[in-house]
């Protein structure tokens, strides 16, 4: 028994020693490669920038004259400066990438079974602004959310006629999967000037979307320019009856972006939103009323300052009134017999103090 335990301990120690040795060896190799790449970078940078100024830099001959590691560093430098440079220098770098076949290599990467290689190819294609057909992107990038987002960004960068529709379809291909931060930013950039691509997809398929994806889409709509479409406002109005309070609040935020009009006002049940049990929905409604700023909205806000049971909501309503330049309720408007009278008075005083802070006397050096 003792000998068995001893043998097991020796085996475990040997394995740990082997793993440590391999890790140390790989770390040393990685450190050497990093140092070598940095040295190559310092050597190549001056020559690269000199060639950028030449009318005929002979990129093919210059690129092939370097070793494999040096060519890797050249590609890394090109990818770095394509993100920064504009104008003539960028065109020269694009010429270098095309001459040495980086664009063709990136396009071939889309056929790889490896996710990382396809992503690297999509990044290169976006940097080079090389168009790829939507059919090819669908055939190679639909299997993972990261490749779909990268393909949508490529469509955005290339600015095709159907970039908004095709990119939005790629991002929202799975209705049960929320977008990454990168995907959400791409969705916004595709729809910020004209959100018809996203709104059309929401009206048709939004009913079956996951709640997280629906919330992200409403967040995008709250920062985009929407068409004055009755079917869109009808769809947003129906979301005010959604089971999720977050969705109800996000729908109000999307309405807020559109300003005031009789058609929009008819789609928003203000009384229902003001009596919503969730404080977040009521707060979103106060922001909407402040954006409208008409007489009826001001009266609703004044009423909310006095009657809302939530302290933060009362303060939000009071702040919205001060921002709109409207009068806050006075002490005589508050019923002293109600339990919230003291809290309403505190919210009013707080909002007034924020709007009219006490002045400080100028004090010089003593």
């Amino acid at each position: 028994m003792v000998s068995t335990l001893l043998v097991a301990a020796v085996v475990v120690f040997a394995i740990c020693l082997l793993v440590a040795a391999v890790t140390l060896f790989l770390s040393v190799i990685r450190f050497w490669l990093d140092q070598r790449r940095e040295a190559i970078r310092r050597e190549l940078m001056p020559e690269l920038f000199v060639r950028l100024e030449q009318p005929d830099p002979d990129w093919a001959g210059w690129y092939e004259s370097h070793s494999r590691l040096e060519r890797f560093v050249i590609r890394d430098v090109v990818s770095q400066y394509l993100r920064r440079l504009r104008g003539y220098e960028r065109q020269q770098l694009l010429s270098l990438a095309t001459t040495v076949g980086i664009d063709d290599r990136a396009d071939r990467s889309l056929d790889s079974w490896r996710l990382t290689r396809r992503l690297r190819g999509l990044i290169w294609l976006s940097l080079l602004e090389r168009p790829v057909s939507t059919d090819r992107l669908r055939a190679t990038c639909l299997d993972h959310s990261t490749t779909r987002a990268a393909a949508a960004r490529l469509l955005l960068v290339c600015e095709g006629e159907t970039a908004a529709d095709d990119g939005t379809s790629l991002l929202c291909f799975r209705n049960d999967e929320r977008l990454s931060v990168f995907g959400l930013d791409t969705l916004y950039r595709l729809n910020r000037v004209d959100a018809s691509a996203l709104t059309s997809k929401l009206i048709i398929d939004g009913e079956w979307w996951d709640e997280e994806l629906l919330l992200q889409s409403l967040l995008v709509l709250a920062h985009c320019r929407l068409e004055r479409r009755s079917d869109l406002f009808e769809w947003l109005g129906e979301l005010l009856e959604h089971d999720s309070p977050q969705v109800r609040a996000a729908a109000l935020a999307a309405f807020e972006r559109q300003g005031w009009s009789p058609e929009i006002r008819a789609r928003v049940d203000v009384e229902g939103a003001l009596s919503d049990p969730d404080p977040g929905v009521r707060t979103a409604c106060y922001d909407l009323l402040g954006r409208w700023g008409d007489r009826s909205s001001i009266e609703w806000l004044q009423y909310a300052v006095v009657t809302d049971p939530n302290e933060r909501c009362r303060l939000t309503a009071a702040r919205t009134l001060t921002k709109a330049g409207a009068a806050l309720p006075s002490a005589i408007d508050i019923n002293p017999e109600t339990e919230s009278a003291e809290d309403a008075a505190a919210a009013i005083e707080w909002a007034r103090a924020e709007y009219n802070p006490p002045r400080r006397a100028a004090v010089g050096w003593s």
Side-chain angles (χ1 to χ4, degrees):
M1 181 67 179
V2 175
S3 60
T4 303
L5 292 175
L6 182 60
V7 170
V10 171
V11 171
V12 171
F13 178 77
I15 292 175
C16 293
L17 188 62
L18 177 62
V19 171
V22 172
T23 303
L24 179 61
F25 174 76
L26 293 177
S27 300
V28 171
I29 294 296
R30 182 64 181 270
F31 176 78
W32 180 84
L33 283 174
D34 289 342
Q35 294 297 313
R36 180 59 181 152
R37 288 171 185 169
E38 188 61 31
I40 293 173
R41 181 187 296 267
R42 289 194 297 267
E43 295 173 1
L44 290 177
M45 288 291 291
E47 185 178 356
L48 175 63
F49 279 100
V50 167
R51 287 181 174 272
L52 286 178
E53 302 298 329
Q54 297 177 0
D56 185 15
D58 185 24
W59 290 124
W62 178 72
Y63 182 79
E64 294 297 332
S65 66
H66 292 86
S67 66
R68 192 171 188 177
L69 183 58
E70 289 172 336
R71 291 198 294 267
F72 174 85
V73 174
I74 291 174
R75 293 195 299 271
D76 185 62
V77 170
V78 170
S79 68
Q80 177 184 357
Y81 281 94
L82 279 175
R83 295 178 171 91
R84 301 181 180 180
L85 298 179
R86 294 294 182 268
Y88 177 77
E89 290 80 5
R90 177 179 173 80
Q91 292 303 318
Q92 286 286 68
L93 288 178
L94 291 175
S95 175
L96 165 60
T98 303
T99 302
V100 302
I102 295 177
D103 53 350
D104 293 332
R105 181 178 178 180
D107 187 79
R108 291 194 300 269
S109 298
L110 297 183
D111 297 320
S112 174
W113 61 270
R114 293 173 53 194
L115 177 64
T116 54
R117 187 173 181 185
R118 279 182 287 152
L119 281 175
R120 192 179 299 114
L122 288 167
I123 292 172
W124 267 112
L125 292 170
S126 297
L127 290 174
L128 300 174
E129 299 181 4
R130 170 163 175 174
V132 177
S133 68
T134 305
D135 292 338
R136 177 160 171 74
L137 291 176
R138 286 183 175 275
T140 57
C141 302
L142 285 181
D143 61 330
H144 200 276
S145 60
T146 55
T147 51
R148 292 197 300 270
R153 181 58 69 99
L154 174 59
L155 292 172
L156 170 67
V157 169
C158 294
E159 298 180 346
E161 294 182 358
T162 60
D165 293 325
D166 295 337
T168 301
S169 297
L170 282 172
L171 288 168
C172 304
F173 177 75
R174 290 283 301 273
N175 57 20
D176 59 345
E177 189 174 281
R178 64 173 300 171
L179 301 176
S180 63
V181 175
F182 177 77
L184 184 61
D185 176 72
T186 303
L187 184 64
Y188 164 70
R189 292 174 182 269
L190 286 166
N191 292 273
R192 61 180 174 181
V193 176
D194 180 9
S196 58
L198 178 57
T199 54
S200 298
K201 195 163 186 61
L202 279 167
I203 292 172
I204 297 174
D205 301 327
E207 181 180 355
W208 296 278
W209 282 13
D210 178 76
E211 182 179 322
E212 292 293 332
L213 180 59
L214 179 59
L215 283 172
Q216 289 181 319
S217 300
L218 290 173
L219 176 63
V220 170
L221 291 185
H223 294 83
C224 291
R225 186 180 304 166
L226 304 184
E227 293 180 295
R228 296 283 177 167
R229 294 167 49 184
S230 58
D231 56 344
L232 171 60
F233 295 142
E234 180 181 0
W235 177 79
L236 282 174
E238 292 174 354
L239 289 182
L240 299 179
E241 304 295 330
H242 199 275
D243 294 337
S244 170
Q246 288 81 13
V247 173
R248 297 197 297 270
L252 288 170
F255 270 118
E256 180 189 352
R257 177 68 172 81
Q258 310 314 309
W260 187 93
S261 72
E263 183 180 8
I264 294 176
R265 177 63 182 83
R267 298 294 182 182
V268 179
D269 181 9
V270 176
E271 295 185 31
L274 292 177
S275 60
D276 195 283
D278 187 81
V281 177
R282 298 198 301 274
T283 299
C285 185
Y286 299 153
D287 292 335
L288 175 62
L289 293 174
R291 181 65 177 267
W292 286 352
D294 61 329
R295 181 177 178 180
S296 176
S297 300
I298 297 301
E299 291 176 353
W300 277 118
L301 287 169
Q302 292 171 338
Y303 178 75
V305 173
V306 179
T307 60
D308 197 295
N310 184 274
E311 181 178 351
R312 290 183 178 272
C313 292
R314 287 193 302 272
L315 184 57
T316 299
R319 285 171 170 167
T320 305
L321 284 171
T322 57
K323 290 179 182 179
L328 288 164
S330 60
I332 60 175
D333 297 324
I334 303 175
N335 185 359
E337 298 181 358
T338 61
E339 296 180 358
S340 61
E342 183 178 351
D343 296 330
I348 293 171
E349 292 303 319
W350 188 292
R352 283 175 176 165
E354 288 181 331
Y355 188 69
N356 298 305
R359 295 184 178 180
R360 296 183 179 181
V363 178
W365 291 100
S366 58

